[in-house]
Amino acid sequence: MDFGVVLQTDPPAREVVRLMKAAEDCGFGYGWTFDSVVLWQEPFVIYSQILAATSAMTVGPMVTSPGTRDWSVLASLFATLNDMFGNRTVCGIGRGDSAHRVIGKRPSTLATVRHAMHVVKELAEGREVVLGDAPVRIPWVRGGRLEMWMAGYGPKALQLAGEHADGFILQCADPAIAEWTIGSVREAARAAGRDPAGITICVAAPAYVGDDLPHQRDQLRWFGGMVGNHVADLVARYGESGPVPHELTDYIRERQGYDYAHHGKAGNPSTEFVPDEIVDRFCLTGPAGAHVARLQELAALGVDQFAVYLMHDQRERTLHAYGADIIGELTR
């Protein structure tokens, strides 16, 4: 299993770069950031500094969206970084949540996500596409490579990931939900004539190593609220008795709204509806041994990477605990 770390690009940017370098020193191979440039700083500027400060780390957004960046610009951003640092980027992409909603946009349609994945990958790898009504190619790309990893929860999104994406991102570490989503992605890949084993599976969730479970739960409760934004859309589309597992949908019944000013932050007042049980299922808490046990369970389901959201009050202690006591147990 590979390991990644997910940060928000809060100022100062040098602190984001410092933590990414510390993560690589602890054995993390991927450095991800949110991509919501009203709430946080522009990540692609910071990626260049992370790549310069690290030796082999792969960086990218978790996740960008088709609705906030021109696709040719997005492709050129990745291609430029790859040309400078040697194909060390990956594009996580989804329909758009915070980046869209804070500027008054709805999430993109899945058809738009599909088209964007194709266009951005082709351009970033130096091939020609039709964009609008014009054939477009980035002429200076030589040997570029960009994988598109798609995030999603619903049946149609999982089908799209299986049919077209290079990787699948599940933002939730619940094994039951992982089993259902991974199975759906692989089934869609097989039906499309693709090799399911060729799709990289990434689970992303907060992790906090320590012994004070009540404090850990309070620090990570925000994540249930973030996931709840996507789940609310699924319930609106499919209903409470639809195909989405109850493990994912039942807890949002008490959800009253959401303030993006506190998005992804410990102490988010919009997430008081999230019970302890959801924090325990969706996140990794407790001592290092509990993390190893959950990760081994996820690995057995086919998870290739675990990406740690580090939005809590013991970021570096958790990083070093993963480096000392956890990563080695999963990479032997």
Side-chain angles (χ1 to χ4, degrees):
M1 181 181 282
D2 292 327
F3 286 83
V5 61
V6 189
L7 299 175
Q8 294 167 338
T9 50
D10 287 312
R14 62 179 176 274
E15 180 67 5
V16 179
V17 176
R18 186 188 68 80
L19 281 170
M20 289 294 190
K21 176 65 169 65
E24 184 180 59
D25 292 343
C26 290
F28 289 81
Y30 283 74
W32 302 92
T33 74
F34 283 40
D35 181 10
S36 186
V37 296
V38 172
L39 297 175
W40 302 288
Q41 293 185 329
E42 167 56 55
F44 282 88
V45 175
I46 300 171
Y47 293 157
S48 65
Q49 297 296 307
I50 295 169
L51 289 165
T54 56
S55 61
M57 177 174 274
T58 297
V59 305
M62 188 176 284
V63 295
T64 194
S65 68
T68 54
R69 298 180 185 273
D70 180 272
W71 300 350
S72 64
V73 173
L74 186 58
S76 186
L77 287 167
F78 283 111
T80 301
L81 292 172
N82 284 339
D83 186 65
M84 292 173 67
F85 297 101
N87 288 334
R88 289 170 54 197
T89 68
V90 59
C91 181
I93 192 168
R95 294 180 59 215
D97 180 35
S98 62
H100 282 219
R101 298 185 202 267
V102 298
I103 60 172
K105 286 191 172 186
R106 294 178 58 82
S108 298
T109 65
L110 289 175
T112 300
V113 174
R114 174 183 174 179
H115 190 199
M117 285 198 298
H118 171 72
V119 167
V120 172
K121 182 180 180 69
E122 295 298 291
L123 289 176
E125 294 186 346
R127 293 182 291 274
E128 182 179 290
V129 296
V130 175
L131 189 55
D133 294 323
V136 179
R137 184 177 69 86
I138 301 177
W140 45 263
V141 173
R142 297 289 184 272
R145 186 183 71 250
L146 180 66
E147 291 193 352
M148 307 296 294
W149 293 14
M150 181 182 163
Y153 298 98
K156 292 182 179 178
L158 300 176
Q159 180 180 352
L160 179 58
E163 291 174 345
H164 296 284
D166 299 306
F168 166 61
I169 298 170
L170 172 63
Q171 292 164 310
C172 177
D174 181 282
I177 295 169
E179 183 174 20
W180 174 71
T181 55
I182 294 168
S184 298
V185 169
R186 287 175 168 169
E187 182 180 350
R190 279 190 291 268
R194 303 180 72 199
D195 179 5
I199 300 174
T200 303
I201 305 296
C202 174
V203 164
Y208 191 138
V209 180
D211 298 313
D212 187 347
L213 280 174
H215 178 71
Q216 291 176 326
R217 288 166 177 153
D218 286 342
Q219 285 284 300
L220 304 185
R221 205 172 305 277
W222 64 265
F223 185 67
M226 188 181 84
V227 173
N229 295 331
H230 303 284
V231 174
D233 288 343
L234 294 177
V235 171
R237 177 182 294 271
Y238 296 105
E240 292 190 5
S241 59
V244 182
H246 289 287
E247 289 91 343
L248 190 57
T249 61
D250 283 352
Y251 80 100
I252 68 162
R253 289 173 181 158
E254 302 301 320
R255 181 179 182 270
Q256 298 298 318
Y258 193 83
D259 182 356
Y260 280 91
H262 307 284
H263 188 59
K265 297 184 184 297
N268 186 338
S270 301
T271 62
E272 294 176 354
F273 71 94
V274 179
D276 288 349
E277 177 207 359
I278 289 295
V279 180
D280 292 344
R281 281 173 36 205
F282 285 16
C283 307
L284 274 67
T285 57
H291 292 241
V292 170
R294 174 74 68 85
L295 291 169
Q296 288 173 333
E297 190 174 1
L298 291 171
L301 295 173
V303 174
D304 299 298
Q305 181 185 145
F306 179 62
V308 178
Y309 282 99
L310 269 188
M311 293 81 185
H312 56 68
D313 62 359
Q314 291 293 341
R315 299 189 298 180
E316 294 191 62
R317 182 180 297 178
T318 291
L319 272 184
H320 290 295
Y322 263 71
D325 302 319
I326 297 171
I327 290 177
E329 295 294 322
L330 276 295
T331 56
R332 289 176 180 170

